[in-house]
Amino acid sequence: MRTDVRRTHNAVTTTASTTTASTAAAAAVLAGISTVRNLGILAHVDAGKTTVTERILFLAGETHKRGEVHDGTTVTDCHPQERERGITIFAAAVSCLWEGHRINLIDTPGHVDFADEVERSLRVLDGAVAVFDAVAGVEPQSESVWRQADRHGVPRIAFVNKMDRAGADLDAAVASIRDRLHPVPLAVQLPVGREGDFTGVVDLLTMRALTWDDGPGRDGLREGPVPEELRAEAEHRRRRLDEAVAGLHPAALEEYYEHTALSTATLAAALRDLTHSGEAVVVLCGSAYRNRGVEPLLAAVTAYLPSPLDVPAVRGSAVGAACSGGAAGAESSQGAEVERAADPAGPLTALVFKVNVTASGRLTYLRLYTGTLRKGDTVLDATTGRTERIARILRVQADSHTETDSAVAGDIVAVIGVKAARTGATLCAPGSPLVLEPPVTAEPVVTVAVEARRSVDTDRLAVALARLAEEDPSLVVRTDPETGQRVLSGLGELHLEVAVEKIRRDHNGLEVTVGRPQVAHRETVERGVTGHVHRHVKQDGGAGQFAQVVIDVAPLDGPVGAQEGGGFVFASTVTGGRVPKEYVQAVEAGCRDALAEGPLGGHPVTGLRVTLTDGATHSKDSSDLAFRTAGRTALRDALRACRMVLLEPVVEVTVTVPQEAVGGVLGDLAARRGRVQGSDPHGAAAAVTAVVPLAELFGYATALRSRTQGRGTFTTRPAGYAPAPAAAR
């Protein structure tokens, strides 16, 4: 009897110990996830994103020498074209450790032609550092990437870079953030010195001065009291910071009312909350090139930006008859929305956000949202239903990798062995399928014809183009049905130039001929029609097809070409059940089919409203197919009766030139059918803003250099579509 009791007692003790050990292990894993920061570096071209990334890697001990963009020695700009052009083209992931935190960092491109790389990166990031030029402030592309981050709800902190340049002004940069981006900027630092004499910052939270020398090592940081000449200004700015935070944060407001000041702990906690909610953005400053201000930036990243445990649970659509819905194991029906938190013990859920196909293999980049991925696991591509086997898991350091046996929720890794998953695919546990929303891919606006110079290379070119489209979903490859040529479409002239050069470099001996770039036109309705009747009748033995529809076609409200032509709206005002609801949906599907080719030149149609006003059915011969066919044919016929307008893509151009060259630049923009919107002086230079048809900007870089003796620069960002001149129609 005593032996049985002893055995029971030992069993209970062992079970309790095992449970305690499991709980402790799970807690340790969660604690590890809480120290992860997945962030991106966002900015306009030449604001210093890559240099900031290089300094982070250097200070974290991942590199032993500071890489320089102008020398082509950076870690993240590892592609030969990036080093030759001096710009970031491909988003590069790196990882480092900083004071007990793992920082997974993605250096994103700043050029508008590569905005799709930024979009895919933001889809998987938890936070971001927006880098601004201390002289220029908010520039066009920095505004664009900020709006992209807004759409994804990514918390940000701001870093005003190049404080050592002539004309650098932190207050002006902060004002441009407030005026153009509209968050509440909260500057937590005061510069020590101006322009070339910039040596450090005053931390307004701790009221300590941080200064750096120009030594090559990592030990250049010096901490000390606030310089006497800056003490009054620092105290004034700290009071303003306390007031601004108290006005935004309820807990801080209570302490401020009680003590007329905020403690360092309360202020730091409030800044973290405001960063997570997006109500405010913490602003720091420095000079990454001179290695000044990077340590406080890293401290702000770990203090204010969220970990994978702090962001909302990822949402997806259930696949299959029943899917696990989370920790509780609840079942969800097909298509139901399911939430999964960052739990390493949960069912695996990961999103493919980048694919890199090389001659030596295929790298698939993943963001793990839930679960644990181990080498040798079999996973399900929920998008296609295909299973894949994970051969290797790699920690990524741009173009170098370190192998690991597993990855957990919150990690960003690359895997080898996945053969078919495309960008945007969801990889998950076979028993718990879930489809996550893929990144949005931008529509191509520029097209070139691409041919192999030698006929024997035609098949090689087809393989090369397919590989390009697999790596970059914003590149579209098709065959022109009239000419039989292969056509490559992308987001800009530079985008296509880089793609073609990549083909030449990656496929030795493959000579390619490229046609003149062409823009992607659209068609829209200027004046519509009402009461257009179409009857579809088909009888070929057996059950026939019958459908009758009456539609009105009208242009959408608002300016022509807004939001890429204004889109498409379908509505039904049919009463009395003359067209059943399921057939109304079929009519809408048919109308969407008809939008693929317009009557002017076979371009996609956009910017119109179609209303189904009446119709008729047959008791036996009506079907979804019949009404879809009727909707498609009715809209095609109606568009021929409408007054149509051809649209062309336009871009907002910001040209920065010396003051003496402004007149010539304005005349050149007018000759290119540009509409000048303003000219802002910046010292000895001026920034001219205009809206110009994209087709008129091919070769503009060379023309601008010639007109300004190489001193002019320009940037662009998409501005939708506008009516093309009559000669183009």
Side-chain angles (χ1 to χ4, degrees):
M1 181 68 175
R2 291 178 181 176
T3 302
D4 293 341
V5 171
R6 191 179 297 112
R7 287 175 180 168
T8 303
H9 174 74
N10 290 341
V12 171
T13 302
T14 302
T15 302
S17 300
T18 303
T19 303
T20 302
S22 300
T23 304
V29 173
L30 289 175
I33 295 176
S34 69
T35 63
V36 172
R37 298 292 183 272
N38 294 317
L39 67 135
I41 307 292
L42 313 174
H44 185 86
V45 175
D46 202 33
K49 300 180 308 300
T50 301
T51 303
V52 169
T53 305
E54 289 299 317
R55 297 305 182 263
I56 289 174
L57 294 176
F58 176 71
L59 290 172
E62 292 294 332
T63 58
H64 301 292
K65 183 181 179 181
R66 294 182 290 187
E68 305 294 352
V69 173
H70 55 270
D71 292 335
T73 57
T74 59
V75 172
T76 53
D77 284 355
C78 53
H79 194 276
Q81 288 201 70
E82 293 178 311
R83 292 179 173 172
E84 290 171 7
R85 298 173 186 270
I87 61 172
T88 300
I89 296 173
F90 309 105
V94 292
S95 181
C96 64
L97 295 175
W98 176 260
E99 295 186 351
H101 291 78
R102 172 169 291 281
I103 298 176
N104 297 320
L105 191 152
I106 298 180
D107 180 21
T108 64
H111 196 285
V112 65
D113 281 18
F114 308 105
D116 214 53
E117 289 273 340
V118 182
E119 186 74 19
R120 293 194 293 273
S121 299
L122 284 170
R123 176 64 180 82
V124 299
L125 295 174
D126 301 325
V129 175
V131 180
F132 301 95
D133 188 313
V135 179
V138 176
E139 298 173 272
Q141 187 59 15
S142 52
E143 186 173 350
S144 296
V145 296
W146 188 275
R147 302 300 174 214
Q148 286 179 285
D150 279 343
R151 290 197 301 271
H152 289 278
V154 176
R156 279 141 284 171
I157 59 177
F159 182 69
V160 179
N161 193 26
K162 302 188 178 183
M163 288 294 297
D164 57 328
R165 285 184 59 195
D169 189 334
L170 175 62
D171 292 337
V174 170
S176 70
I177 293 173
R178 180 187 299 107
D179 297 339
R180 299 192 61 177
L181 305 181
H182 309 299
V184 178
L186 300 173
V188 297
Q189 292 176 342
L190 169 67
V192 176
R194 290 181 58 84
E195 301 178 346
D197 296 327
F198 173 76
T199 58
V201 298
V202 173
D203 186 339
L204 297 180
L205 272 75
T206 61
M207 295 302 287
R208 299 284 289 173
L210 307 174
T211 58
W212 289 264
D213 57 34
D214 287 323
R218 300 184 180 89
D219 300 325
L221 174 61
R222 303 289 181 266
E223 182 177 348
V226 179
E228 195 61 37
E229 65 273 17
L230 292 177
R231 183 173 298 279
E233 178 67 14
E235 291 174 350
H236 172 65
R237 292 190 178 229
R238 172 58 188 264
R239 285 194 298 272
R240 286 171 50 192
L241 178 62
D242 286 352
E243 291 171 2
V245 171
L248 297 170
H249 194 276
L253 180 62
E254 291 183 11
E255 182 172 318
Y256 187 80
Y257 272 146
E258 185 175 348
H259 302 289
T260 66
L262 298 179
S263 66
T264 301
T266 300
L267 182 56
L271 290 173
R272 177 180 170 83
D273 292 343
L274 294 173
T275 300
H276 287 199
S277 66
E279 295 178 68
V281 57
V282 172
V283 181
L284 302 98
C285 64
S287 170
Y289 178 71
R290 296 178 68 179
N291 210 36
R292 296 176 180 177
V294 181
E295 292 96 334
L297 175 63
L298 283 167
V301 164
T302 59
Y304 305 133
L305 291 181
S307 75
L309 298 177
D310 298 322
V311 298
V314 67
R315 295 182 178 183
S317 299
V319 180
C323 305
S324 174
E331 292 188 343
S332 300
S333 59
Q334 173 83 15
E337 187 175 79
V338 176
E339 288 189 356
R340 288 182 180 172
D343 180 7
L348 175 69
T349 310
L351 183 70
V352 177
F353 69 93
K354 184 178 176 68
V355 173
N356 189 10
V357 183
T358 65
S360 57
R362 187 178 194 271
L363 275 180
T364 304
Y365 292 78
L366 307 176
R367 160 66 195 267
L368 272 69
Y369 287 98
T370 63
T372 300
L373 182 67
R374 296 179 177 84
K375 185 169 64 174
D377 281 354
T378 297
V379 298
L380 173 71
D381 181 349
T383 313
T384 62
R386 175 184 177 132
T387 57
E388 303 271 11
R389 184 178 181 276
I390 306 300
R392 298 166 63 194
I393 303 174
L394 307 174
R395 297 277 181 195
V396 183
Q397 203 75 350
D399 59 345
S400 62
H401 314 94
T402 303
E403 192 165 349
T404 183
D405 290 332
S406 64
V408 299
D411 275 341
I412 292 178
V413 295
V415 297
I416 294 176
V418 176
K419 298 178 180 178
R422 305 295 293 267
T423 299
T426 304
L427 300 184
C428 54
S432 301
L434 187 73
V435 175
L436 303 179
E437 181 182 356
V440 176
T441 301
E443 276 194 61
V445 293
V446 181
T447 298
V448 293
V450 183
E451 294 180 333
R453 186 164 295 176
R454 299 176 301 179
S455 58
V456 293
D457 289 334
T458 301
D459 291 341
R460 290 181 63 199
L461 177 60
V463 172
L465 290 172
R467 180 180 292 180
L468 268 183
E470 185 176 0
E471 291 185 337
D472 186 353
S474 61
L475 288 170
V476 176
V477 181
R478 63 181 179 85
T479 301
D480 189 300
E482 295 182 2
T483 65
Q485 289 179 307
R486 284 192 175 87
V487 175
L488 179 65
S489 303
L491 302 183
E493 191 176 9
L494 179 61
H495 189 205
L496 295 179
E497 185 182 320
V498 167
V500 172
E501 183 62 25
K502 194 170 189 297
I503 291 176
R504 292 176 176 142
R505 289 174 183 262
D506 294 351
H507 301 268
N508 295 332
L510 179 57
E511 299 181 11
V512 179
T513 302
V514 181
R516 187 180 185 277
Q518 302 290 329
V519 298
H521 289 88
R522 297 287 185 270
E523 298 177 24
T524 192
V525 175
E526 186 177 53
R527 187 181 64 195
V529 296
T530 59
H532 181 82
V533 182
H534 177 75
R535 175 182 294 221
H536 172 67
V537 180
K538 184 177 181 181
Q539 190 71 45
D540 52 4
Q545 294 183 22
F546 177 88
Q548 179 174 309
V549 296
V550 182
I551 61 172
D552 295 344
V553 180
L556 277 180
D557 296 334
V560 175
Q563 298 180 356
E564 298 191 359
F568 170 70
V569 174
F570 181 87
S572 172
T573 59
V574 177
T575 58
R578 294 182 60 81
V579 179
K581 185 176 180 180
E582 61 270 21
Y583 293 161
V584 171
Q585 295 175 348
V587 174
E588 179 180 358
C591 289
R592 291 188 182 276
D593 294 341
L595 298 177
E597 295 182 0
L600 292 181
H603 308 292
V605 182
T606 186
L608 73 162
R609 180 190 305 274
V610 176
T611 306
L612 178 64
T613 60
D614 201 358
T617 62
H618 187 277
S619 58
K620 292 183 179 179
D621 293 345
S622 291
S623 63
D624 282 353
L625 177 61
F627 272 91
R628 182 165 186 160
T629 304
R632 179 172 61 249
T633 308
L635 183 53
R636 284 178 178 170
D637 293 344
L639 290 176
R640 295 189 186 98
C642 294
R643 178 184 292 174
M644 302 294 292
V645 174
L646 185 67
L647 302 176
E648 62 179 348
V650 295
V651 295
E652 183 184 286
V653 184
T654 301
V655 187
T656 303
V657 294
Q659 289 282 2
E660 62 269 20
V662 170
V665 168
L666 290 174
D668 185 42
L669 289 174
R672 295 173 185 271
R673 298 189 285 122
R675 290 179 285 110
V676 176
Q677 297 183 321
S679 177
D680 298 323
H682 293 292
V688 179
T689 304
V691 175
V692 185
L694 179 61
E696 299 290 345
L697 288 179
F698 295 142
Y700 183 60
T702 302
L704 181 64
R705 283 195 294 267
S706 175
R707 189 174 293 276
T708 62
Q709 290 78 48
R711 293 183 291 168
T713 61
F714 78 100
T715 58
T716 64
R717 64 172 177 168
Y721 285 77
R729 301 180 189 178

